[in-house]
Amino acid sequence: RSTDNGVTWAALPRGLNSGATNVGFTSVAANGDVWVAVAQNGYASRSTDNGETWTALTKGLNCGLETAIFNSISANGDTWVAVTSAGWASRSTDNGLTWVALPQGLNSGSTNTVFKSIANDGNSTWYTAGDDSVLYAAMSTDDGATWFRPEYTTYYNTDTYSIIYNTVTSEWLAAGTAYDGVGANILKAKGGTE
């Protein structure tokens, strides 16, 4: 953890008091001084003091699989969504304290989608994407309460690694690569519905 814009760093407790000391954390998100970090095997921890101290959250965040591999988490005010491999996902509306399961696959067209990234526009629209031999995406326009498959071109053998929302251009950007490692894909959507 750094408190001087990355100039110096101090070690945090191994495993962030998640219940495991040998776990790979994959993503962290923040809302003010509240942070939530998610990891492999369903582990997650929460901090309410800018990452200084951490407490364990319910293993699996009630997503439906206690040992889910969390790949990404995002926050929009008090609403948080965490996505996993095998299509599991959870949502919190109390600043990451308690979590409820979302439909497996988020109505993307595959219940086994390996969701790699999730992002929101700072309002109520969320996107996540992943793969199950083809690109699958899911979208929410009600702050993560319900999800649907947006209109998009089907890309085969694509692995999406990151999604961001550009507040200046109002565009979504997804980046990934082909399964065979040859070539890269950059996908762009304007307005959040395609």
Side-chain angles (χ1 to χ4, degrees):
R1 176 176 176 260
S2 176
T3 58
D4 56 9
N5 291 320
V7 175
T8 60
W9 291 85
L12 293 171
R14 191 169 180 184
L16 299 179
N17 299 323
S18 65
T21 56
N22 190 18
V23 65
F25 281 88
T26 54
S27 185
V28 63
N31 175 33
D33 56 357
V34 176
W35 298 10
V36 176
V38 293
Q40 300 167 351
N41 299 321
Y43 291 101
S45 291
R46 181 174 182 259
S47 171
T48 57
D49 56 10
N50 279 316
E52 189 172 337
T53 60
W54 294 83
T55 55
L57 291 171
T58 302
K59 192 169 181 209
L61 298 179
N62 298 317
C63 74
L65 181 64
E66 189 175 282
T67 58
I69 298 171
F70 286 101
N71 290 324
S72 187
I73 187 170
S74 184
N76 181 29
D78 287 348
T79 301
W80 300 63
V81 177
V83 294
T84 74
S85 297
W88 301 100
S90 292
R91 179 175 182 251
S92 171
T93 56
D94 58 4
N95 219 6
L97 184 61
T98 60
W99 295 80
V100 296
L102 292 170
Q104 187 179 6
L106 297 175
N107 302 316
S108 66
S110 170
T111 57
N112 293 318
T113 299
V114 178
F115 290 120
K116 298 273 176 77
S117 184
I118 186 163
N120 66 78
D121 67 355
N123 293 306
S124 60
T125 302
W126 295 68
Y127 260 113
T128 186
D131 67 89
D132 184 15
S133 74
V134 299
L135 171 69
Y136 286 96
M139 180 180 180
S140 172
T141 55
D142 57 8
D143 220 11
T146 61
W147 293 82
F148 60 92
R149 181 180 174 150
E151 294 293 323
Y152 61 88
T153 302
T154 300
Y155 292 89
Y156 293 91
N157 300 321
T158 298
D159 207 351
T160 302
Y161 289 103
S162 184
I163 295 177
I164 61 167
Y165 181 76
N166 184 329
T167 58
V168 175
T169 63
S170 299
E171 293 176 321
W172 294 90
L173 186 67
T177 187
Y179 280 153
D180 59 11
V182 178
N185 296 310
I186 303 292
L187 309 173
K188 183 167 68 169
K190 186 96 171 162
T193 59
E194 45 191 52

